[in-house]
Amino acid sequence: MKIDRTLLRGSWQSWVSADMERIGPHWLQLVWTALFCLVLAAVFTVFGFVAYADEGRDWLELPRWRHWFGKNLIVTFTVGYAIHGLFELGGHWVGGPSRIRRFKMPARVAFFAGIPLLGTLVGAPLGLWLAGAERMSWIPGNDGTRAVFVSLAFWAVAGFIIYQLFATKSRAIAAERAATEAQLRLLQAQMEPHFLFNTLANVQALIEHDGPKARRMLGAFTDYLRAGLANLRRERAPLAEELALAEAYLRVQQARMEERLAFTIDADEAARRALLPPLLLQPLVENAVVHGLEPQIAGGRVRVRARVEAGRLLVEVQDDGRGLAAAGATAPPRGGHGLALANLRERLRTGFGDAATLELMGTSPGTMARLRLPLEAA
């Protein structure tokens, strides 16, 4: 996997915000924790010198700085990785980032404040023990019990401050993610008028000489609008509703193309109940019709299949049209084909990180688009 600026930025954001799918390799998450612990150890070392060092003499002794930075580093690494591990375990226990995003405020506060405090209370005593009793020697009037309580109180307050900093950053990331999603939906909406106006023009032309066909197309078009507008107002929608939208779209195109277009939709019940962001399936179905079948004189068939496989949602859209090679040999496809797929990949990256993939592959004949998503049950 290539480590570039985009991947680093996404990995950092998913490390800060526990309600995001992890982006990038897992070892990179451990690196962010290590870097944060290094910075925190440096801050605590400076704080210790400000609070307890003798003026002049201690500040100029480099070995003393190295000594106390090392002691602080042991404690911050112990606390930091305790919190890291608890977030991993807690996220897995509650059902993953998608479930965390749906937490109400009391549950969010308990999760995001409780884990740092618990990690501090677990990791600080262990870190202090590993660092040695000398770690507490700067606390005035030091005795064992008092030093332990003072240190734990300090680390508990530090843990709460860390939570507040991360919560603020997490809210900023969530706002950025929402803005990106809104922008991508706007781009999707900008592509729709082409289809809408063409359909209305076809209905108008059919009214004069083929009233029944015009009524069929208008009925399918109404179903398409009803399903599409309802899904646009949601953050997540059941796949069953996405399939209904795809079916309405295909019926509109079938009324126009007649026997040149056939389609089948096959999905098991577990897949139909799965939740996913709206309008992920629609661009794939549209590409299959517009760029796969419509250029062929004989047309063809679109097959939409969905199933749950190994704990993930698998959705496939296959056509027996021109195929990738023929499409690539012509001029850039009309109707936003490249833009639609680029938007779709960006939505997957923003919402799921590396946990979701989109594959395009040639078949004989035609093309298949395969979408894999984390399973999120309704």
Side-chain angles (χ1 to χ4, degrees):
M1 178 181 295
K2 182 182 178 182
I3 305 296
D4 55 17
R5 180 179 296 181
T6 301
L7 177 63
L8 289 174
R9 183 170 181 269
S11 177
W12 161 256
Q13 290 183 339
S14 67
W15 178 80
V16 170
S17 183
D19 60 355
M20 282 182 63
E21 300 288 345
R22 293 294 176 254
I23 297 176
H26 185 264
W27 61 263
L28 196 51
Q29 300 288 311
L30 300 176
V31 169
W32 295 127
T33 300
L35 292 176
F36 180 75
C37 291
L38 284 167
V39 172
L40 207 58
V43 171
F44 287 157
T45 302
V46 172
F47 173 80
F49 271 83
V50 170
Y52 302 119
D54 295 332
E55 292 186 7
R57 181 172 60 85
D58 289 335
W59 285 88
L60 298 177
E61 294 182 8
L62 183 60
R64 195 170 179 83
W65 280 91
R66 289 198 300 264
H67 174 81
W68 288 110
F69 176 75
K71 297 291 185 180
N72 283 316
L73 195 61
I74 293 173
V75 182
T76 56
F77 263 66
T78 308
V79 173
Y81 281 102
I83 296 174
H84 184 116
L86 287 173
F87 266 121
E88 293 288 338
L89 292 174
H92 179 75
W93 182 66
V94 301
S98 61
R99 185 63 59 85
I100 297 173
R101 285 194 294 270
R102 300 202 298 270
F103 278 177
K104 302 298 183 184
M105 185 53 65
R108 289 188 68 85
V109 172
F111 185 82
F112 286 101
I115 286 183
L117 291 175
L118 180 60
T120 299
L121 294 175
V122 170
L126 177 61
L128 292 170
W129 177 75
L130 292 173
E134 185 186 11
R135 174 66 185 83
M136 307 173 189
S137 64
W138 277 2
I139 301 175
N142 179 43
D143 63 72
T145 304
R146 185 171 182 270
V148 168
F149 279 110
V150 170
S151 297
L152 288 180
F154 171 78
W155 279 97
V157 172
F160 184 75
I161 293 173
I162 292 169
Y163 156 71
Q164 292 294 338
L165 293 174
F166 275 72
T168 301
K169 183 64 177 177
S170 180
R171 284 192 293 270
I173 292 172
E176 180 182 349
R177 190 168 65 235
T180 301
E181 182 70 13
Q183 181 183 14
L184 293 171
R185 289 191 189 185
L186 177 61
L187 290 172
Q188 176 71 26
Q190 289 171 348
M191 289 160 27
E192 291 299 322
H194 177 79
F195 166 67
L196 302 183
F197 293 147
N198 280 352
T199 302
L200 290 174
N202 286 329
V203 170
Q204 186 177 20
L206 287 170
I207 287 175
E208 297 295 331
H209 66 274
D210 195 341
K213 183 176 179 181
R215 284 193 295 273
R216 289 196 303 273
M217 179 177 286
L218 188 58
F221 182 60
T222 302
D223 292 338
Y224 173 83
L225 287 178
R226 184 182 296 114
L229 292 175
N231 283 355
L232 275 174
R233 293 190 290 267
R234 299 181 179 184
E235 182 181 352
R236 291 287 192 274
L239 178 63
E241 297 185 11
E242 288 289 291
L243 293 174
L245 177 64
E247 182 177 359
Y249 170 82
L250 289 168
R251 291 199 182 282
V252 171
Q253 296 288 40
Q254 194 175 52
R256 182 176 62 85
M257 296 173 64
E258 297 183 326
E259 69 278 358
R260 294 179 59 234
L261 172 61
F263 68 87
T264 57
I265 296 178
D266 179 29
D268 59 38
E269 285 303 314
R272 288 178 178 273
R273 291 193 299 269
L275 297 177
L276 70 164
L279 297 178
L280 286 187
L281 178 60
Q282 175 65 18
L284 302 180
V285 175
E286 187 172 343
N287 282 339
V289 174
V290 175
H291 307 294
L293 302 185
E294 194 170 2
Q296 294 190 145
I297 295 177
R301 176 179 293 272
V302 175
R303 298 175 178 84
V304 181
R305 294 184 291 268
R307 62 185 183 274
V308 174
E309 184 178 278
R312 293 165 64 82
L313 177 63
L314 177 64
V315 182
E316 296 175 337
V317 178
Q318 183 176 5
D319 66 77
D320 53 8
R322 293 187 305 162
L324 291 175
T330 62
R334 67 188 186 279
H337 170 76
L339 180 62
L341 293 182
N343 287 346
L344 183 52
R345 285 196 166 94
E346 179 62 20
R347 293 183 69 192
L348 293 175
R349 188 198 68 79
T350 301
F352 300 100
D354 291 341
T357 59
L358 171 63
E359 301 174 83
L360 287 180
M361 60 197 76
T363 58
S364 184
T367 306
M368 176 186 289
R370 178 175 292 155
L371 188 62
R372 294 181 186 271
L373 299 168
L375 182 61
E376 184 178 342

